[in-house]
Amino acid sequence: MREITKGITVNQGVRFGKPVIKGTRVTVDVVLGKLAGGIGFEEIMKEYDITKRDILNAINYAADLVGREEIRIAS
């Protein structure tokens, strides 16, 4: 297991190496998908037994990835 950012880890033996909430098998993409689908923090916290800080860590991780993304537009 390797912590790639605060509260987010990767491990090839857990969820095929996808980023997960530390200490769980809950992937960052699942959390973000739930939020995008309109599910609130409280419901996600109950469903996956994670904290608000865990959800915020997932959002911060995704924001960091998008912030570093380079887009090249071919004309």
Side-chain angles (χ1 to χ4, degrees):
M1 173 187 73
R2 187 175 126 215
E3 189 166 20
I4 56 175
T5 191
K6 185 173 179 158
I8 305 297
T9 62
V10 291
N11 179 336
Q12 287 296 30
V14 177
R15 299 288 186 194
F16 306 102
K18 286 182 150 191
V20 297
I21 304 297
K22 186 175 183 177
T24 75
R25 296 178 60 82
V26 180
T27 60
V28 169
D29 66 307
V30 164
V31 173
L32 296 176
K34 294 287 185 175
L35 290 168
I39 306 298
F41 277 46
E42 294 295 325
E43 191 172 340
I44 295 168
M45 290 163 52
K46 275 185 192 176
E47 184 174 346
Y48 294 102
D49 193 27
I50 60 176
T51 66
K52 182 176 181 180
R53 173 54 34 206
D54 292 331
I55 296 170
L56 293 173
N57 287 340
I59 294 169
N60 286 330
Y61 170 71
D64 182 55
L65 283 180
V66 171
R68 289 188 279 132
E69 183 178 35
E70 290 184 30
I71 299 173
R72 295 186 179 103
I73 299 173
S75 48

